[in-house]
Amino acid sequence: MNSLALDYPSVLLRNEEAPCLSLYQPTHRQHPDNVQDPIRFRNLMKEMEASLRQQYPQREVGPLLAPFEALANDDAFWNHTSEGLAVLSAPGVFRVYQLPRPVTELVVVADSFHTKPLLRITQSADHYQVLGLSRNSFKLFEGNRDSLRQVQLPADTAQTAEAMLGNDTARHGTDVQQAASAHATKQFFRAVDQAVMQHYGPSGGMGLILAALPEHHHLFRSISKNPQLRKEALDVHPDAMPLEALRECAWQLVQADYLERLAGLITAYGAAAAKAQGSDALGDIAKAAVAGRVATLLIEADRLIPGHLQTTTGKVTARRLDDPQVDDLLDDLGELVLKAGGDVVVVPVQRMPTSTGAAAIYRF
């Protein structure tokens, strides 16, 4: 299983050899609902094969489909799925991502990966982290308005006081194991804070929420150097509630800030457009994106606009989505903006300030 947090956007926005194959489908965690998932996957494979044979009649498609076939036959994989699935493949590249939210079934054969569904998951606009902390162990969660998942830490990552403190644990072993040593607890909390900042990066978006028993809050805050740590916290350890209940509590803490931030972006777009420093015209946005002028791009969630974007001139041409030279224009615009160091925010349709599917704020 590949890590979306590590791959996006650096790996998935690289120029790969065509054809680039993108497959998305909703999946299910529990039996018997998950029985249908490999069947739907094979149906999408047939759709992909038909598109490949139509667009590349002279090419041997067997090797391109072989990794998909292997995944379809992996019973262990289909018995442990999440809410959604993304599979991206190109010659020499095959990436599989379990997604924390459902996605619309989609197959795209193009000269670049279709990544907008992944952008919506990884973007910082409604993203937050939850640090579940006790005297002896910690867990890290990542979430948004729709879902929350525990971060699967690498096998060599220390998650307990005993593993983190090493020799100090040996000296204070009894205290640590009995959660009775204030010195050991302080050391552990400091190590957790450093690990979160060093290995898991900034929480981005709405920040890092501490979830711990009330007696641990003051000590951790007195030690933490993490600028993303929010003032609001949850007075409970995550093990004490179901994951969905934890998501609801966390989202209640960040929702007001998210809506305020989104409203600010929409207001900023309106002011920029009034001064000719922003636009909702896809052709104008494309030219600005090619020139590296787009500071912030709002794109409408769950909307596909088939077309071809010439990345050297910004020229936009309407096409069919099953054409191998065609992708979703909104997806391509987002990729260009990200590569140029701009911000891309996927916005629910009911909050989009335009009807074209996009709204750009220019740098100059």
Side-chain angles (χ1 to χ4, degrees), residues 74-285:
D74 188 344
D75 292 338
F77 171 81
W78 294 106
N79 286 332
H80 298 88
T81 51
S82 185
E83 304 299 325
L85 172 67
V87 184
L88 307 182
S89 182
V93 178
F94 189 73
R95 313 296 282 181
V96 179
Y97 304 101
Q98 298 274 22
L99 306 180
R101 65 166 62 171
V103 289
T104 301
E105 282 193 358
L106 180 67
V107 169
V108 178
V109 177
D111 58 359
S112 64
F113 291 132
H114 179 80
T115 60
K116 190 171 70 173
L118 305 183
L119 170 61
R120 187 178 185 185
I121 291 171
T122 59
Q123 70 170 358
S124 64
D126 66 347
H127 180 76
Y128 59 87
Q129 291 180 337
V130 176
L131 174 61
L133 184 67
S134 70
R135 290 182 185 272
N136 297 313
S137 64
F138 82 97
K139 297 178 179 180
L140 189 65
F141 301 82
E142 292 183 342
N144 53 40
R145 79 192 102 185
D146 298 320
S147 64
L148 183 71
R149 69 176 183 87
Q150 184 175 346
V151 177
Q152 298 301 314
L153 306 179
D156 59 351
T157 299
Q159 293 180 248
T160 65
E162 184 175 2
M164 274 191 166
L165 299 183
N167 292 334
D168 286 335
T169 302
R171 293 196 297 270
H172 303 287
T174 301
D175 289 339
V176 171
Q177 293 170 6
Q178 296 178 353
S181 170
H183 174 70
T185 301
K186 187 174 182 179
Q187 285 184 301
F188 175 56
F189 283 7
R190 182 177 290 111
V192 170
D193 188 56
Q194 293 173 349
V196 171
M197 289 193 296
Q198 179 179 355
H199 297 295
Y200 310 111
S203 60
M206 300 292 98
L208 176 68
I209 300 170
L210 176 63
L213 295 178
E215 57 264 32
H216 299 326
H217 286 223
H218 176 73
L219 178 58
F220 184 77
R221 289 185 183 280
S222 69
I223 292 170
S224 178
K225 305 296 184 182
N226 193 333
Q228 299 291 333
L229 184 63
R230 292 179 63 96
K231 294 180 180 179
E232 308 93 337
L234 298 176
D235 293 334
V236 62
H237 189 274
D239 289 348
M241 62 171 59
L243 190 63
E244 177 59 17
L246 180 64
R247 183 204 64 79
E248 290 180 1
C249 292
W251 181 241
Q252 287 177 7
L253 293 182
V254 304
Q255 184 178 25
D257 288 349
Y258 162 72
L259 293 176
E260 181 179 355
R261 181 186 177 192
L262 190 56
L265 289 172
I266 293 171
T267 299
Y269 164 73
K275 299 176 182 178
Q277 295 176 348
S279 177
D280 67 346
L282 298 184
D284 293 343
I285 296 174

Side-chain angles (χ1 to χ4, degrees), residues 271-313:
K275 299 176 182 178
Q277 295 176 348
S279 177
D280 67 346
L282 298 184
D284 293 343
I285 296 174
K287 293 177 181 178
V290 168
R293 294 178 54 215
V294 178
T296 303
L297 177 66
L298 310 180
I299 54 178
E300 184 178 318
D302 302 322
R303 182 169 179 179
L304 295 177
I305 302 179
H308 177 66
L309 172 59
Q310 174 53 254
T311 57
T312 57
T313 66

